[in-house]
Amino acid sequence: MHNSSNIDVIVIGSPFKFMGGGQRRVHEVIRYYPSITAKTTLYIPYSHLVVVKALSQLYEIDEREIFGELEILEKNDVYVPQVLYMMLERAESDSLKYFKNLEKGGVTYILENLRKLLPIINKEDLQYAKQFLKCQQEHCYYDHICNKKIVYVMDNFPEFIYSGSFISEILGRPLFILLQSIPINPIRDITVKEYIRIKRFYQRSLYRTLSRLSLVILQQAYFNCKSLYIYSSVRQNLRGLFSVSQVPLKYSKLDEWARKNGILTKVIVPGNSVNEPIRAYLKERERILKHKEDYAIFYGRLGFAKGLFEIPLIAKYLQQHGYELFLSGRFDNNIEKALFERLCKQLNVKNIKYLGFLEGKELYELVARSKVLIYPSHYDAFSLVVLESLFLGNHVVAYNIPAITSVYGNLSSVKTVEEYDYKAMATEAIKILKMDINQFTDIQNDPLTLKFLELHSSWENVAKAEIKNIQEIIRSC
């Protein structure tokens, strides 16, 4: 039975877990919405479904898995309108048309080029959003959604905000947006990172280096202006701007923008969680801490943004002390894969054990047996990989980027070093690998760490935190 505090919500988001942590978060959280908030309806912009289809081809994901994700949500009483299935079928042909010659560039290249196509694809987003709202003779679901109280954009991709704003305006309902990544990046930081990447990992002339930096600055300035325009254009209906951590709000300065425009901001706590199979390891903590082995691990997306090219440099130091580094994940693209392999060969690194893409119990057991996660990521808003590793009894060594220091900075099991200081990262990892198991266990069982893990042990906790913040803002309006 539902009471007056229940809200009805149209969620704009992508629930396809194979695409990454943000999409997994959407899937896991909205599964709990119906039991908390009554009616929950999912909508996915058409342009994003084109990306889903393109990446599923790139990763060789079975179509049944994609449809299966939607079926799981339906079994949990999330309403998935029939138009989404029709859009998925249509996206198959469009993904081939747009991405036939782009596969070699991988995830980053595909996403960047999709953004260039957005002005064209947005027209189709608008058409399908109208179909979503329209009462059709065969599949009449308008009555199901016309009394929704809010529209909630659960990730800050432009196409999500674009569609969410349109639906919000048509229905006259308040709009909420969740930041899962940094929407507006400081140009200086982006330029510095790109310069370091070019100088350290590519052999280019001064002219080519300056040309590349000029292009990066112009692109980032364009995307920043476009992002700010998007948020400015939706501010009339925007009631709440949420974030999975402090980083996306503060780093983009959208917290200041929101304050000036009278829009309330909230950091969702807990902002993320882990899946049930990982959570189960918390009950077996004593067992896994007794069976630790002296090796390091890195897993996740394998690309420059995640520190892929620092891995061989770190591994070189580990090799000198007799330690192995296990690596698991999908490479962003073949170019970076080739460069990574070339670096390993040049450095004569032989202690990296690449295991391909692992998931489920096979991955969890591998991580649970290791002592330390090497995490040289340059871009994050929260980092599910770090959270999972802590649940699996790992120490973590990461760069001191804001996402790590703001979320995990108080935990003794997470050590940070200056960004790009791969030698310091290797040194900290070696200290942990040499650490006496009793000292290692004491740090892992620190009360602050255990309290942190308990808070982040349930996706239902995350869903309840989101709904609570939405309800508070609705009451204050």
Side-chain angles (χ1 to χ4, degrees):
M1 182 178 294
H2 307 303
N3 57 48
S4 60
S5 65
N6 288 129
I7 61 174
D8 292 341
V9 55
I10 300 174
V11 171
I12 315 294
S14 175
F16 303 109
K17 293 185 285 186
F18 81 90
M19 293 186 68
Q23 290 76 14
R24 190 192 336 160
R25 185 192 188 280
V26 171
H27 186 278
E28 297 296 342
V29 170
I30 64 174
R31 283 198 303 131
Y32 289 99
Y33 269 30
S35 62
I36 301 171
T37 70
K39 296 176 183 176
T40 303
T41 300
L42 174 68
Y43 182 73
I44 309 167
Y46 178 75
S47 57
H48 186 78
L49 292 177
V50 175
V51 177
V52 171
K53 282 294 188 176
L55 293 184
S56 69
Q57 294 164 34
L58 186 69
Y59 290 152
E60 299 181 347
I61 302 296
D62 194 305
E63 188 180 61
R64 288 172 295 183
E65 181 178 333
I66 295 174
F67 285 97
E69 303 284 17
L70 298 178
E71 290 169 4
I72 289 171
L73 294 178
E74 288 188 293
K75 287 178 181 178
N76 284 272
D77 295 326
V78 174
Y79 181 69
V80 181
Q82 193 63 33
V83 69
L84 284 186
Y85 292 101
M86 181 187 70
M87 290 161 62
L88 264 172
E89 293 178 2
R90 163 80 189 282
E92 181 81 42
S93 58
D94 277 351
S95 68
L96 292 173
K97 180 172 64 177
Y98 289 130
F99 302 113
K100 185 178 180 181
N101 299 316
L102 303 182
E103 289 187 11
K104 66 178 183 180
V107 180
T108 304
Y109 192 57
I110 284 176
L111 291 177
E112 285 179 354
N113 279 275
L114 179 77
R115 299 296 177 258
K116 297 173 185 177
L117 292 167
L118 275 177
I120 300 170
I121 298 178
N122 274 346
K123 295 178 182 179
E124 295 188 82
D125 280 343
L126 192 62
Q127 292 171 0
Y128 280 111
K130 288 177 179 177
Q131 287 190 43
F132 172 70
L133 294 169
K134 184 179 177 183
C135 178
Q136 295 181 349
Q137 187 173 8
E138 292 132 2
H139 303 290
C140 180
Y141 51 80
Y142 187 80
D143 288 342
H144 181 82
I145 63 172
C146 64
N147 64 343
K148 292 293 180 186
K149 291 184 179 177
I150 74 159
V151 176
Y152 185 19
V153 178
M154 206 180 267
D155 208 340
N156 50 290
F157 289 128
E159 61 268 31
F160 290 179
I161 298 174
Y162 178 83
S163 295
S165 174
F166 174 76
I167 293 170
S168 168
E169 187 173 345
I170 293 297
L171 294 179
R173 303 301 180 187
L175 177 67
F176 292 78
I177 297 174
L178 175 70
L179 303 180
Q180 289 209 59
S181 58
I182 303 169
I184 301 172
N185 286 285
I187 291 176
R188 178 184 178 277
D189 289 2
I190 295 294
T191 305
V192 169
K193 289 178 188 292
E194 183 65 18
Y195 176 77
I196 293 173
R197 182 171 82 104
I198 293 171
K199 295 297 290 183
R200 184 164 289 170
F201 305 116
Y202 294 90
Q203 296 178 349
R204 287 184 174 175
S205 65
L206 178 61
Y207 172 76
R208 292 188 66 191
T209 298
L210 291 176
S211 297
R212 173 61 185 167
L213 289 177
S214 298
L215 179 61
V216 167
I217 291 169
L218 289 172
Q219 284 182 331
Q220 194 58 50
Y222 168 76
F223 285 128
N224 283 355
C225 290
K226 188 173 181 179
S227 295
L228 191 56
Y229 171 77
I230 290 171
Y231 286 93
S232 297
S233 66
V234 304
R235 68 178 183 271
Q236 185 173 353
N237 288 333
L238 186 59
R239 297 292 180 270
L241 191 58
F242 297 161
S243 183
V244 295
S245 73
Q246 295 178 356
V247 176
L249 279 171
K250 291 188 175 296
Y251 204 61
S252 65
K253 297 187 177 179
L254 280 177
D255 55 343
E256 298 176 10
W257 173 85
R259 191 161 45 248
K260 291 176 182 176
N261 286 279
I263 298 165
L264 296 175
T265 60
K266 300 275 188 180
V267 175
I268 304 298
V269 180
N272 267 299
S273 184
V274 295
N275 297 335
E276 175 58 39
I278 295 178
R279 188 162 64 246
Y281 281 84
L282 199 55
K283 299 176 182 178
E284 300 182 56
R285 199 166 185 79
E286 185 176 347
R287 176 187 70 83
I288 63 175
L289 290 176
K290 282 182 179 179
H291 293 87
K292 286 291 178 179
E293 299 177 23
D294 295 333
Y295 65 83
I297 192 166
F298 172 77
Y299 70 100
R301 215 182 87 211
L302 304 180
F304 166 76
K306 295 299 180 182
L308 175 66
F309 300 140
E310 282 100 313
I311 292 295
L313 299 165
I314 295 166
K316 181 71 174 178
Y317 285 97
L318 297 182
Q319 183 173 280
Q320 292 169 0
H321 289 80
Y323 297 114
E324 291 183 323
L325 193 159
F326 287 75
L327 185 68
S328 173
R330 293 187 178 105
F331 286 91
D332 267 5
N333 56 69
N334 290 331
I335 295 173
E336 292 190 343
K337 180 182 179 182
L339 180 54
F340 172 78
E341 291 171 346
R342 191 177 79 196
L343 278 171
C344 290
K345 187 175 181 180
Q346 288 176 347
L347 294 169
N348 196 29
V349 171
K350 299 180 179 179
N351 64 328
I352 295 178
K353 306 297 180 183
Y354 177 57
L355 304 175
F357 176 74
L358 302 178
E359 57 184 338
K361 187 174 182 179
E362 187 177 12
L363 174 64
Y364 305 153
E365 285 293 325
L366 181 72
V367 178
R369 289 196 304 271
S370 68
K371 262 189 172 180
V372 59
L373 171 75
I374 303 291
Y375 196 69
S377 176
H378 301 285
Y379 298 95
D380 266 305
F382 191 100
S383 180
L384 280 173
V385 169
V386 171
L387 183 62
E388 290 173 354
S389 294
L390 293 173
F391 269 88
L392 295 169
N394 258 10
H395 279 32
V396 177
V397 184
Y399 288 144
N400 61 348
I401 59 175
I404 301 299
T405 56
S406 66
V407 177
Y408 304 101
N410 294 328
L411 304 182
S412 55
S413 52
V414 178
K415 300 293 182 184
T416 59
V417 300
E418 289 293 322
E419 191 174 7
Y420 290 103
D421 193 347
Y422 55 84
K423 185 176 181 180
M425 181 168 283
T427 300
E428 288 295 332
I430 291 167
K431 287 179 183 177
I432 293 166
L433 290 166
K434 289 182 176 180
M435 189 180 291
D436 175 77
I437 192 61
N438 292 323
Q439 182 185 358
F440 182 94
T441 300
D442 287 344
I443 295 173
Q444 282 292 321
N445 289 330
D446 173 71
L448 193 62
T449 297
L450 295 179
K451 183 178 179 181
F452 178 88
L453 295 180
E454 183 61 34
L455 176 64
H456 293 82
S457 65
S458 168
W459 285 113
E460 186 175 12
N461 289 346
V462 180
K464 287 179 176 178
E466 284 189 356
I467 296 304
K468 179 183 176 183
N469 281 287
I470 290 171
Q471 289 171 333
E472 288 176 354
I473 291 178
I474 288 175
R475 283 194 293 266
S476 68
C477 290

